[in-house]
Amino acid sequence: MTTRATLLPGTLDVLVLKAVSLGSLHGYGVLLRIEQITGGALLVEQGALYPALYRLEQQGLLATRWGVSDNNRRAKFYRLTAAGRRRLRTQRESWRRLSAAMAVALDIRPGEV
């Protein structure tokens, strides 16, 4: 069983961009993809996802088109724009630096400082 983690401020947008970078998805598909790529450790509530999708679209990071979902329903599909790819790249680098710094800080033992 996977232990669930809490989304930290600023993580939802980068997770959405990453999920959509793997292929065009409708909203519910983004939820499922985030759960999949985090091994079930992170779950996103629909009430948080849809405002994030709207915000990222308004910022020009996502583009949309209407299509039909796997269950034959009309759905809005999201894809990454060039600006979205750039933002994902800078966010990825920033999160890697932060996580590396946190790992070092959390592994320090008394007397090593």
Side-chain angles (χ1 to χ4, degrees):
M1 179 173 213
T2 303
T3 302
R4 305 262 188 219
T6 303
L7 281 177
L8 298 173
T11 56
L12 180 55
D13 287 1
V14 72
L15 284 170
V16 169
L17 293 175
K18 179 58 183 179
V20 174
S21 77
L22 300 171
S24 178
L25 294 167
H26 54 75
Y28 187 68
V30 174
L31 286 177
L32 296 177
R33 180 63 50 84
I34 290 171
E35 184 178 357
Q36 177 189 40
I37 65 178
T38 64
L42 297 175
L43 297 179
V44 178
E45 299 289 330
Q46 289 185 27
L49 175 68
Y50 288 100
L53 289 169
Y54 178 79
R55 182 176 58 253
L56 293 169
E57 182 182 2
Q58 293 302 305
Q59 292 174 2
L61 304 176
L62 296 177
T64 62
R65 69 166 175 78
W66 287 97
V68 178
S69 68
D70 292 339
N71 62 358
N72 244 4
R73 292 189 172 182
R74 189 169 185 254
K76 188 185 261 190
F77 284 78
Y78 298 87
R79 68 173 176 77
L80 218 52
T81 64
R85 283 189 294 279
R86 285 190 300 274
R87 173 75 59 87
L88 177 58
R89 188 171 41 253
T90 60
Q91 288 293 307
R92 180 186 305 125
E93 293 165 4
S94 176
W95 278 103
R96 284 184 177 153
R97 283 191 304 274
L98 176 62
S99 64
M102 287 297 295
V104 168
L106 293 173
D107 286 343
I108 294 294
R109 293 188 173 96
E112 292 181 342
V113 181

